[in-house]
Structures are given as structure tokens and as C-alpha cells.
Amino acid sequence: MAKIKMETKNLNLWYGEKQALFDINLPIYEKKITALIGPSGCGKSTFLRCLNRLNDLIPNVKIEGEVLLDGKNIYDKDVDVYELRKRVGMVFQKPNPFAMSIYDNVAFGPRIHGIKDKKELDKIVEWALKKAALWDEVKDELHKNALSLSGGQQQRLCIARAIAVKPEVLLMDEPTSALDPISTLKIEELMVELAKDYTIVVVTHNMQQASRVSDYTAFFLMGKLIEFGETEQIFLNPQKKETDDYISGRFG
Ligand SMILES: Nc1ncnc2c1ncn2[C@@H]1O[C@H](COP(=O)(O)OP(=O)(O)OP(=O)(O)O)[C@@H](O)[C@H]1O
């Protein structure tokens, strides 16, 4: 079995008085794709945001328990959140490129982290765009505004932007829900390719997507982790009735 890259231990989260996550214990295996599934409002995105402390930005959030990255709790006082988010990157549901050139979007993170040399930046931009399967489509117009790209291209650009700082873990929150079927397939192929180098956690509403791309699946219901296992087992032989009901479309 693969090494555990991240792990949550008795993770609880409250928005004000309302508890949204209950005692979540979940391993995330290195260089594997873990899919988080479950009906709307069950806490998938909340859980995902705990993995790089994006919930810190929301007022009145209380978190208890641990989130370990290579065995170290990312909520410890000595953790530099900035450095953490470099190691654990995020791609959002709606493509959100910055209103600047394609090149500057990808170079943004590396520049913030102190890389100024033009040749080095050129190399990173080309590398990240190639990894994100976008290079061939944009290599002659790197200085065009990123907002002029199609939705699917914008999402691949956001993936290039996320990987340009060489994260170890990539969090993806419904990365294809705003895309057409062809762009969706491209992103799914890309995820499988990226999982050779990165650990990926993806929230998805799309059962076919979870079964097509992921190695492990976690099923959430009302803030609780109901079942976790290898994707094939979860889909073919779920151990819990709730999981069976959900994946066979009886609710959710
Ligand atoms: N910023 C917030 N403030 C207060 N409550 C929130 C906030 N974000 C989420 N919640 C609540 O926490 C619960 C879990 O929401 P979350 O968005 O994590 O679920 P989800 O499974 O990702 O849903 P969806 O699939 O619809 O995106 C819901 O009851 C939601 O209303």
C-alpha cells in the first residue's frame, strides 16, 4: 500500500454553533487520487478546505483535531500557512484565472516565492503549461489575456498556475462542474497523469468521474465520514447501506 501523505485525526469543525464535520479520520495516500463524494451540504468542500487551512479565512470557524502532512499537524502554531499553501495547492470549481496574461498567471506563484530570473520563469511556465496539457494550444500567445481562453482552457491554466509552485498535494473542488464533456475528459486525463507526481484530493458530484479517475473514495453524509476504501470496493461492494443507496442513486 502507498505511503500516507496526509491524514486527519478526529477532525471536527463548527461554523459558529453549527457543527459541519464530525470526528473525521481519513488517510490520503501519496501519489493517489482520493475522491470525496456525498450529497450536497454533507461537508466535502469544508473538509477539503481544512487540508490547506482555507477555512482560517472564514469568521467564527472552530476546528478541533489534527490534519497531518507528512506526520506534522498543519494546525500547529509554528506552521507557516503561506508555506503550507505552497505545499498543498488548490484548484476551484469555477476557473478563476487572474485578469493578466497567460504567462503572468503561471509565473505569479513562482514570482511571489522569489524567482525573478526571466529564463528560469520561462522554463517554469513552459513546464507547467505542458504538464497541464495546455502548452500546444497557447505557446504562440503567452501574452494574451487569460480571460480570453475558453472555460476548459482556463481551468487547465488554473491547474498550471497551481502546479507552477511545485506543490506536493493538489486539492480540487469540483474542478469540472463548470465544463463541457470534452473539457471534462481532458481534465480527468490530466488528473490521472498528474497523480504520477502529486497526491490529489478531488471533490466531485459526478459518480462516473469518481469511479473513472480515483484510487480511493470517501463517502460523506451530514458531516460524517460513512465509508472509505479503494474506489472499486466502494462502488462494487459498499459495506454500508447509506453508501450503497447513494451510489446507486437512491438518494442525494
Ligand atoms: N462559510 C460558511 N458558513 C456557515 N456555514 C457553512 C459555510 N460553508 C458551509 N457551511 C455549511 O456547512 C455544511 C457543509 O457545507 P459544504 O459546502 O462543506 O458541503 P458540500 O458537501 O461541499 O456541499 P456541495 O456539494 O453542495 O458543495 C452545510 O450545511 C453548509 O451550509
Coordinates of all heavy atoms in Angstrom, one line a residue, residues 107-149:
A107 N 3.3 32.4 -13.9 CA 4.6 32.9 -13.2 C 4.2 33.6 -11.9 O 5.1 33.8 -11.1 CB 5.3 33.9 -14.1
F108 N 3.0 33.8 -11.6 CA 2.5 34.5 -10.4 C 3.1 33.9 -9.1 O 3.8 34.6 -8.3 CB 1.0 34.5 -10.4 CG 0.5 35.5 -9.3 CD1 0.3 36.8 -9.6 CD2 0.1 35.0 -8.1 CE1 -0.2 37.7 -8.6 CE2 -0.4 35.9 -7.1 CZ -0.6 37.2 -7.4
G109 N 2.8 32.6 -8.9 CA 3.3 31.9 -7.7 C 4.8 31.9 -7.6 O 5.3 32.3 -6.5
P110 N 5.5 31.4 -8.6 CA 7.0 31.4 -8.5 C 7.5 32.8 -8.2 O 8.5 32.9 -7.5 CB 7.4 30.9 -9.9 CG 6.2 30.1 -10.4 CD 5.0 30.7 -9.8
R111 N 7.0 33.9 -8.8 CA 7.5 35.2 -8.5 C 7.3 35.6 -7.1 O 8.2 36.1 -6.4 CB 6.7 36.2 -9.4 CG 7.3 36.3 -10.8 CD 6.5 37.4 -11.6 NE 7.1 37.6 -12.9 CZ 6.3 37.7 -14.0 NH1 5.0 37.7 -14.0 NH2 6.9 37.9 -15.2
I112 N 6.1 35.2 -6.5 CA 5.8 35.5 -5.1 C 6.8 34.8 -4.2 O 7.3 35.3 -3.2 CB 4.4 35.1 -4.7 CG1 3.4 36.1 -5.2 CG2 4.2 34.9 -3.2 CD1 2.0 35.9 -4.8
H113 N 7.2 33.6 -4.7 CA 8.2 32.8 -3.9 C 9.6 33.2 -4.3 O 10.5 32.4 -4.0 CB 7.9 31.3 -4.0 CG 6.6 31.0 -3.3 ND1 6.5 30.9 -2.0 CD2 5.4 30.7 -3.8 CE1 5.3 30.6 -1.7 NE2 4.6 30.5 -2.8
G114 N 9.8 34.3 -4.9 CA 11.1 34.9 -5.0 C 11.9 34.6 -6.3 O 13.1 35.0 -6.5
I115 N 11.3 33.9 -7.3 CA 12.0 33.7 -8.5 C 11.8 34.9 -9.5 O 10.7 35.2 -9.8 CB 11.5 32.4 -9.2 CG1 11.8 31.2 -8.2 CG2 12.2 32.1 -10.5 CD1 11.2 29.9 -8.7
K116 N 13.0 35.5 -9.8 CA 12.9 36.7 -10.6 C 13.5 36.5 -12.0 O 13.2 37.2 -13.0 CB 13.6 37.8 -9.9 CG 13.0 38.1 -8.6 CD 13.0 39.6 -8.3 CE 12.0 40.0 -7.2 NZ 12.2 39.2 -5.9
D117 N 14.5 35.6 -12.1 CA 15.2 35.4 -13.3 C 14.3 35.0 -14.5 O 13.5 34.0 -14.4 CB 16.2 34.2 -13.1 CG 17.1 34.0 -14.3 OD1 17.9 34.9 -14.6 OD2 16.9 32.9 -14.9
K118 N 14.3 35.8 -15.6 CA 13.4 35.6 -16.7 C 13.5 34.2 -17.3 O 12.5 33.5 -17.6 CB 13.7 36.7 -17.7 CG 13.0 36.5 -19.1 CD 11.7 37.2 -19.1 CE 11.0 37.3 -20.4 NZ 10.6 36.0 -21.0
K119 N 14.8 33.7 -17.5 CA 15.0 32.4 -18.1 C 14.4 31.3 -17.3 O 13.8 30.3 -17.8 CB 16.5 32.1 -18.3 CG 17.1 32.7 -19.5 CD 18.2 31.8 -20.1 CE 18.7 32.5 -21.4 NZ 19.8 33.4 -21.1
E120 N 14.6 31.4 -16.0 CA 14.1 30.4 -15.0 C 12.5 30.4 -15.1 O 11.9 29.4 -15.1 CB 14.6 30.7 -13.6 CG 14.5 29.4 -12.8 CD 15.0 29.7 -11.3 OE1 15.8 30.6 -11.1 OE2 14.6 28.9 -10.5
L121 N 12.0 31.6 -15.1 CA 10.5 31.8 -15.1 C 10.0 31.2 -16.4 O 9.0 30.5 -16.4 CB 10.1 33.2 -15.0 CG 10.1 33.8 -13.6 CD1 9.8 35.3 -13.6 CD2 9.1 33.1 -12.6
D122 N 10.7 31.5 -17.5 CA 10.2 30.9 -18.8 C 10.2 29.4 -18.8 O 9.2 28.8 -19.3 CB 11.2 31.3 -19.9 CG 11.1 32.8 -20.3 OD1 10.2 33.5 -19.9 OD2 12.0 33.2 -21.1
K123 N 11.2 28.8 -18.1 CA 11.2 27.4 -18.0 C 10.1 26.8 -17.2 O 9.5 25.8 -17.6 CB 12.6 27.0 -17.3 CG 13.6 26.4 -18.3 CD 14.4 25.4 -17.7 CE 15.6 25.5 -17.0 NZ 16.7 25.6 -16.6
I124 N 9.8 27.5 -16.1 CA 8.7 27.0 -15.2 C 7.4 27.1 -16.0 O 6.5 26.2 -15.9 CB 8.7 27.8 -13.9 CG1 9.9 27.6 -13.1 CG2 7.4 27.5 -13.1 CD1 10.1 28.4 -11.9
V125 N 7.2 28.3 -16.6 CA 5.9 28.5 -17.3 C 5.7 27.4 -18.4 O 4.6 26.8 -18.5 CB 5.9 29.9 -18.0 CG1 4.7 30.1 -18.9 CG2 5.8 31.0 -16.9
E126 N 6.7 27.1 -19.2 CA 6.6 26.1 -20.2 C 6.4 24.7 -19.6 O 5.5 24.0 -20.0 CB 7.9 26.0 -21.0 CG 7.8 25.0 -22.1 CD 8.9 25.0 -23.1 OE1 9.7 26.1 -23.2 OE2 9.1 24.0 -23.9
W127 N 7.1 24.4 -18.5 CA 6.9 23.1 -17.9 C 5.5 23.0 -17.3 O 4.9 21.9 -17.6 CB 8.0 23.0 -16.7 CG 7.8 21.8 -15.8 CD1 8.3 20.6 -16.1 CD2 7.0 21.8 -14.6 NE1 7.9 19.8 -15.0 CE2 7.1 20.5 -14.2 CE3 6.3 22.7 -13.9 CZ2 6.5 20.0 -13.0 CZ3 5.7 22.3 -12.7 CH2 5.8 21.0 -12.3
A128 N 5.0 24.0 -16.6 CA 3.7 23.9 -16.0 C 2.6 23.8 -17.1 O 1.6 23.0 -16.9 CB 3.4 25.1 -15.1
L129 N 2.7 24.6 -18.1 CA 1.7 24.5 -19.2 C 1.7 23.2 -19.9 O 0.7 22.7 -20.3 CB 1.9 25.7 -20.2 CG 1.5 27.1 -19.6 CD1 2.0 28.2 -20.6 CD2 0.0 27.2 -19.4
K130 N 2.9 22.6 -20.1 CA 3.0 21.3 -20.7 C 2.3 20.3 -19.8 O 1.6 19.4 -20.2 CB 4.5 20.9 -21.0 CG 5.0 21.5 -22.2 CD 6.4 21.1 -22.6 CE 6.8 21.6 -23.9 NZ 8.3 21.6 -24.1
K131 N 2.7 20.3 -18.5 CA 2.1 19.4 -17.5 C 0.6 19.5 -17.5 O -0.1 18.5 -17.3 CB 2.6 19.7 -16.1 CG 3.9 19.1 -15.7 CD 3.6 17.8 -15.0 CE 4.8 17.0 -14.7 NZ 4.7 15.6 -14.7
A132 N 0.1 20.7 -17.7 CA -1.4 20.9 -17.7 C -2.0 20.7 -19.1 O -3.2 21.0 -19.3 CB -1.7 22.3 -17.2
A133 N -1.2 20.2 -20.0 CA -1.7 19.9 -21.3 C -2.3 21.1 -22.0 O -3.4 21.0 -22.7 CB -2.7 18.7 -21.3
L134 N -1.7 22.2 -21.9 CA -2.2 23.4 -22.5 C -1.2 24.1 -23.4 O -1.5 24.9 -24.2 CB -2.6 24.4 -21.4 CG -3.3 25.7 -21.8 CD1 -4.6 25.4 -22.5 CD2 -3.7 26.6 -20.6
W135 N 0.1 23.7 -23.3 CA 1.2 24.4 -24.0 C 0.9 24.5 -25.5 O 1.1 25.6 -26.0 CB 2.5 23.6 -23.7 CG 3.7 24.1 -24.4 CD1 4.3 23.5 -25.4 CD2 4.4 25.4 -24.2 NE1 5.4 24.3 -25.8 CE2 5.4 25.4 -25.1 CE3 4.2 26.4 -23.2 CZ2 6.3 26.5 -25.1 CZ3 5.1 27.5 -23.3 CH2 6.1 27.5 -24.2
D136 N 0.6 23.4 -26.1 CA 0.4 23.4 -27.6 C -0.6 24.4 -28.0 O -0.5 25.0 -29.1 CB 0.1 22.0 -28.1 CG 1.3 21.1 -28.0 OD1 2.4 21.6 -27.9 OD2 1.1 19.8 -28.0
E137 N -1.6 24.6 -27.2 CA -2.7 25.5 -27.6 C -2.4 27.0 -27.4 O -3.0 27.8 -28.0 CB -4.0 25.2 -26.8 CG -4.6 23.9 -27.3 CD -5.6 23.3 -26.2 OE1 -6.6 23.9 -25.9 OE2 -5.3 22.2 -25.7
V138 N -1.4 27.3 -26.5 CA -1.2 28.7 -26.1 C 0.2 29.2 -26.3 O 0.5 30.3 -26.1 CB -1.6 29.0 -24.7 CG1 -3.1 28.6 -24.4 CG2 -0.7 28.2 -23.7
K139 N 1.1 28.3 -26.8 CA 2.5 28.6 -26.8 C 2.9 29.9 -27.7 O 3.8 30.6 -27.4 CB 3.4 27.5 -27.2 CG 3.2 26.9 -28.6 CD 4.3 25.8 -28.8 CE 4.3 25.3 -30.2 NZ 3.1 24.6 -30.6
D140 N 2.0 30.2 -28.7 CA 2.3 31.3 -29.5 C 1.6 32.6 -29.0 O 1.6 33.6 -29.7 CB 1.9 31.0 -31.0 CG 2.6 29.8 -31.5 OD1 3.9 29.8 -31.2 OD2 2.1 29.0 -32.2
E141 N 0.8 32.5 -28.0 CA 0.1 33.7 -27.5 C 0.2 33.8 -25.9 O -0.8 34.0 -25.3 CB -1.3 33.6 -28.0 CG -2.0 32.3 -27.8 CD -3.4 32.2 -28.5 OE1 -3.6 33.0 -29.4 OE2 -4.1 31.3 -28.0
L142 N 1.3 33.6 -25.4 CA 1.5 33.6 -24.0 C 1.2 34.9 -23.3 O 0.9 35.0 -22.2 CB 2.9 33.2 -23.6 CG 3.3 31.7 -23.9 CD1 4.8 31.5 -23.5 CD2 2.4 30.8 -23.1
H143 N 1.2 36.0 -24.2 CA 1.0 37.3 -23.6 C -0.4 37.8 -23.8 O -0.8 38.9 -23.4 CB 2.1 38.3 -24.1 CG 3.4 37.9 -23.5 ND1 3.7 38.0 -22.2 CD2 4.4 37.1 -24.1 CE1 4.9 37.5 -22.0 NE2 5.3 36.9 -23.1
K144 N -1.3 36.9 -24.3 CA -2.7 37.2 -24.4 C -3.4 37.1 -23.0 O -2.9 36.3 -22.2 CB -3.3 36.1 -25.3 CG -4.5 36.6 -26.1 CD -4.9 35.6 -27.2 CE -6.1 34.8 -26.8 NZ -6.6 33.9 -27.8
N145 N -4.4 37.9 -22.9 CA -5.1 37.9 -21.6 C -5.8 36.5 -21.4 O -6.4 36.0 -22.2 CB -6.2 39.0 -21.6 CG -6.7 39.2 -20.2 OD1 -7.2 38.3 -19.5 ND2 -6.7 40.5 -19.8
A146 N -5.6 36.0 -20.2 CA -6.0 34.7 -19.8 C -7.6 34.6 -19.9 O -8.1 33.5 -20.1 CB -5.6 34.3 -18.4
L147 N -8.2 35.7 -19.7 CA -9.7 35.7 -19.7 C -10.3 35.4 -21.1 O -11.5 35.2 -21.3 CB -10.3 37.0 -19.1 CG -9.9 37.2 -17.7 CD1 -10.4 38.6 -17.2 CD2 -10.3 36.1 -16.8
S148 N -9.4 35.5 -22.1 CA -9.9 35.3 -23.5 C -9.9 33.8 -23.8 O -10.3 33.4 -24.9 CB -9.0 36.0 -24.5 OG -7.7 35.5 -24.5
L149 N -9.4 32.9 -22.9 CA -9.4 31.5 -23.2 C -10.8 30.9 -22.9 O -11.6 31.5 -22.2 CB -8.4 30.8 -22.2 CG -6.9 31.2 -22.4 CD1 -6.1 30.6 -21.3 CD2 -6.4 30.7 -23.8

